[in-house]
Amino acid sequence: MKSELRFHGVDAKTLRTEALAFCKAHPELDRAALVADVNALFATDGFDLRSAAVALLERKWKLLAPTDAPWLAEIARRAACWAHVDWLVTKVIAPLLEDHRSLPRLVRTWARDDFFWVRRVALLAQLPALRRGGGDFALFTEIAAPMLEEREFFIRKAIGWVLREVSKKRPTLVRAFLSNHGERCSGVTLREARKYLPALKTR
C-alpha cells in the first residue's frame, strides 16, 4: 500500500462479517450515526479501522442521499489508497448516484480535482453500471480523454479497467474510443482495454 497507516491484517471477509454483526446489534443506526462512525474511524491511523468504515458504508449506503456524495469523495481523498478508494467508489458512491441527475456534474467536478485519487473516483463512478451494459459512456469518454496522458499509474489503470469491462458487452464502444484516442493511451491502458476485446472478423 506504500502507506504509513498501521496494519493489523484483517481480511475483507472478516470486516464484512463484523460490519453485518454491528448493524444487527444496532438496528437504530441512522444517517447521522453512520456519518459520525465513518468520520471517527477515518480519523484514526488504522488501515483496518478505515476498512471497517468502508464495510459499514457498503452495508448501510441506503441511509445516505446523493447529496452525501461530496462527503464520500472527501473520504476517498483521506483514504488515498486503491483498496479503500475502489471499494468506496464501486460499492457506495456508484450505487448511490446511479441514474441520479447530479452524477454528470459531480463526475465532471471530481475529474478536474488536483488530487489523482479523486480523479480516480470520477473515472470509476459509473463502473458497475457500465459493466452491466448501462451507464453513460459518452460522459466517461469526456472525462477520461483529457487524462490519457497523465503519468499517474492509478489513473492509467482506471481508464483501462473501465474500457476492459465495457468491452465485454459493448466492444464497438471500446474500439471507437481506441480509434479516436489510442495513440495517446499508455501501455497499461491499452493492455487493459484490449484484454477481452474480440478480434475483428475478416473475410
Side-chain angles (χ1 to χ4, degrees):
M1 293 297 174
K2 297 182 180 180
S3 171
E4 295 181 0
L5 295 174
R6 293 181 297 111
F7 287 77
H8 294 286
V10 183
D11 61 71
K13 181 179 179 180
T14 300
L15 286 164
R16 285 187 168 104
T17 299
E18 291 304 315
L20 174 60
F22 179 85
C23 291
K24 287 183 175 179
H26 297 276
E28 77 286 357
L29 185 72
D30 59 10
R31 178 197 169 278
L34 175 64
V35 170
D37 288 344
V38 170
N39 283 335
L41 289 165
F42 263 89
T44 74
D45 65 350
F47 178 88
D48 306 270
L49 291 174
R50 293 183 175 198
S51 297
V54 184
L56 188 58
L57 284 168
E58 179 184 18
R59 173 65 53 180
K60 288 293 188 177
W61 67 266
K62 290 184 180 179
L63 291 176
L64 302 176
T67 52
D68 290 307
W71 167 69
L72 292 168
E74 289 307 307
I75 293 294
R77 187 190 303 278
R78 293 169 65 183
C81 72
W82 67 265
H84 290 157
V85 170
D86 293 4
W87 189 1
L88 184 66
V89 177
T90 59
K91 299 300 183 181
V92 184
I93 295 176
L96 185 66
L97 291 179
E98 189 166 336
D99 298 327
H100 194 267
R101 62 183 181 276
S102 66
L103 175 65
R105 174 180 57 80
L106 289 168
V107 164
R108 290 182 179 111
T109 298
W110 296 334
R112 296 191 299 269
D113 198 273
D114 291 337
F115 197 30
F116 73 85
W117 287 114
V118 178
R119 297 198 299 279
R120 185 171 169 99
V121 170
L123 291 167
L124 299 180
Q126 294 191 90
L127 179 60
L130 290 168
R131 179 183 279 146
R132 295 194 306 270
D136 186 344
F137 189 76
L139 176 61
F140 170 76
T141 299
E142 176 189 330
I143 66 166
M147 299 189 210
L148 284 172
E149 292 164 333
E150 288 196 28
R151 298 190 63 81
E152 174 53 55
F153 170 81
F154 287 103
I155 292 297
R156 294 177 168 187
K157 184 76 170 183
I159 297 171
W161 182 12
V162 174
L163 293 173
R164 182 189 74 200
E165 294 305 308
V166 172
S167 75
K168 295 176 182 178
K169 290 184 179 293
R170 294 177 289 180
T172 56
L173 291 179
V174 177
R175 286 199 184 94
F177 183 97
L178 295 179
S179 176
N180 291 327
H181 306 289
E183 292 183 356
R184 297 170 49 231
C185 290
S186 68
V188 67
T189 299
L190 286 173
R191 285 193 297 274
E192 288 295 309
R194 293 169 174 167
K195 188 170 184 179
Y196 299 113
L197 198 61
L200 287 171
K201 293 181 180 179
T202 57
R203 292 183 179 180

